[in-house]
Amino acid sequence: MAVSAVDVALWDLKARLMNVPLGAILPRFRSAVPIYGSGGFTNYPRDRLADQLAGWAEQGISRVKLKTSRRPQEDPGRLSTARKAVGDGVELYADANGALSRKQALYWANRFAEEWGVCWFEEPVSSADLHGLRLLRDRGPGGMDIAAGEYGYVLRDFANLLEAGAVDCLQADVTRCGGITGWLQVAGLASGLQTDLSA
């Protein structure tokens, strides 16, 4: 993480010295990328959850994510609140932060998809459980992407997820994976295996 911080600072310095935005000096293939609003923490009361997610939807952000599975018995109410707040035109993402067992995750994946239209399930099981992630990817509902990787630190962490076929979308956090240089390496791995990458 310390290396990540130094690397990001050096990339930022380079962009400042060149007097351009950082994005202008990075390799890019598109002029825009889709984004999602990430929050919806489990300690938020439902009115705050609704306000946050609806606020993003009102700004034109067509994908929003909320945390789930800390207290699974509360998830149906929270997801109903979320769906009502954003409407049917916004994609709903769920992030369990690895809180579930494989069978629990499969159960909730099906409910999430059927009842609330959730189409992205992040870390339904621990990121270290490559077989569990692959199980969810193979046996979960069609149209639901399985995502993981934000806790990857070295290139091997990401290669393991990709080689196991554990994710539909690989994640990498620039503050953990070696900074922008590390993130570009992860992007190369993902691209080589035709796997989406979320920063």
Side-chain angles (χ1 to χ4, degrees), residues 148-152 158 170-175 177 182-183 186-187 197-199:
E150 70 176 320
Y151 293 103
F158 302 99
L170 183 66
Q171 297 176 290
D173 184 332
V174 72
T175 68
C177 72
W183 191 88
V186 173
L197 177 65
S198 174

Side-chain angles (χ1 to χ4, degrees), residues 7-16 18 20-31 33 174 178-185 187 197 199:
D7 185 82
V8 169
L10 290 172
W11 276 95
D12 180 65
L13 177 61
K14 180 178 180 178
R16 288 172 188 263
M18 295 175 69
V20 296
L22 177 59
I25 62 172
L26 296 174
R28 59 182 171 176
F29 304 97
R30 296 176 181 86
S31 58
V33 294
V174 72
I180 293 168
T181 301
W183 191 88
L184 290 171
Q185 292 172 333
L197 177 65

Side-chain angles (χ1 to χ4, degrees), residues 8 30 44 56 62-63 77 88 97-98 118 130 149 162 169 176:
V8 169
R30 296 176 181 86
Y44 285 6
W56 288 326
S62 61
R63 297 160 194 86
D88 292 332
N97 283 115
V118 172
L130 302 178
L162 292 169
C169 184
R176 293 186 182 103

Side-chain angles (χ1 to χ4, degrees), residues 30 120 134 137 145-149 158-172 183 185-199:
R30 296 176 181 86
W120 162 293
R134 179 63 189 252
R137 187 171 179 224
D145 284 343
I146 301 301
F158 302 99
N160 289 343
L161 286 162
L162 292 169
E163 289 168 2
V167 293
D168 295 294
C169 184
L170 183 66
Q171 297 176 290
W183 191 88
Q185 292 172 333
V186 173
L189 277 178
S191 178
L193 292 171
Q194 299 178 332
T195 303
D196 288 339
L197 177 65
S198 174

